[in-house]
Amino acid sequence: MAVARYKEPLTLTEHAPWAQRFWDALVPLKDRVARHPLFVEMGDGSLSLGRFRDALLHFYPLVEHFPKYMGLALAKTRPGLYPGHEETKNWLIGNIKIEQRHAYWYQDWAAGFGLDTERLEHTRPPAAMDAVNQFLWATG
């Protein structure tokens, strides 16, 4: 029996300097998200099972579509014409596959909470949770 493609080992590498600067600039925003009550309750174990399942269900479209959003950005790269585009292209190509693996792992995680892949694939998140999907699709 073949090993599932999302269970192949990952190779960890250092961030390119530009990617590290990008990440460092995002840390304050990331911290705001991490302090949202949903994530605080998830972290301290007080999030109810129902809310946990709802969150898993409604965040799935973001996780599943994220490699596609990265593909939209990839399509806009112009290596040779603009500085940094070659590096960006190569980084996106390498990381799209990793982001796809996250979707498979997420499906396994959700299955542990009784959410099968069919239910994940057919969910329509509430507008507030879907806003990020709409934004990434429109700006990708």
Side-chain angles (χ1 to χ4, degrees), residues 84-131:
H85 279 229
E86 181 69 27
E87 295 87 351
T88 301
K89 176 191 79 170
N90 291 331
W91 184 85
L92 285 165
I93 289 170
N95 279 277
I96 287 170
K97 184 70 173 171
I98 291 168
E99 290 300 328
Q100 182 58 53
R101 191 179 297 177
H102 291 164
Y104 297 133
W105 289 342
Y106 197 97
Q107 291 170 357
D108 289 345
W109 184 30
F113 286 86
L115 298 169
D116 63 28
T117 303
E118 183 170 338
R119 180 141 184 232
L120 292 171
E121 295 291 345
H122 290 95
T123 190
R124 289 194 170 269
M129 290 184 80
D130 199 36

Side-chain angles (χ1 to χ4, degrees), residues 15-61:
H15 290 304
W18 69 266
Q20 188 62 53
R21 288 189 305 274
F22 178 72
W23 175 256
D24 292 343
L26 291 176
V27 167
L29 298 170
K30 175 196 69 73
D31 290 345
R32 281 183 55 203
V33 171
R35 286 191 296 266
H36 186 279
L38 177 82
F39 298 116
V40 169
E41 291 173 26
M42 186 182 294
D44 69 19
S46 64
L47 187 64
S48 73
L49 180 59
R51 284 188 63 214
F52 202 123
R53 290 182 69 199
D54 282 347
L56 285 170
L57 183 63
H58 294 131
F59 274 111
Y60 179 74

Side-chain angles (χ1 to χ4, degrees), residues 71-89:
L72 294 170
L74 174 62
K76 294 178 181 179
T77 60
R78 301 292 304 271
L81 293 179
Y82 300 107
H85 279 229
E86 181 69 27
E87 295 87 351
T88 301
K89 176 191 79 170

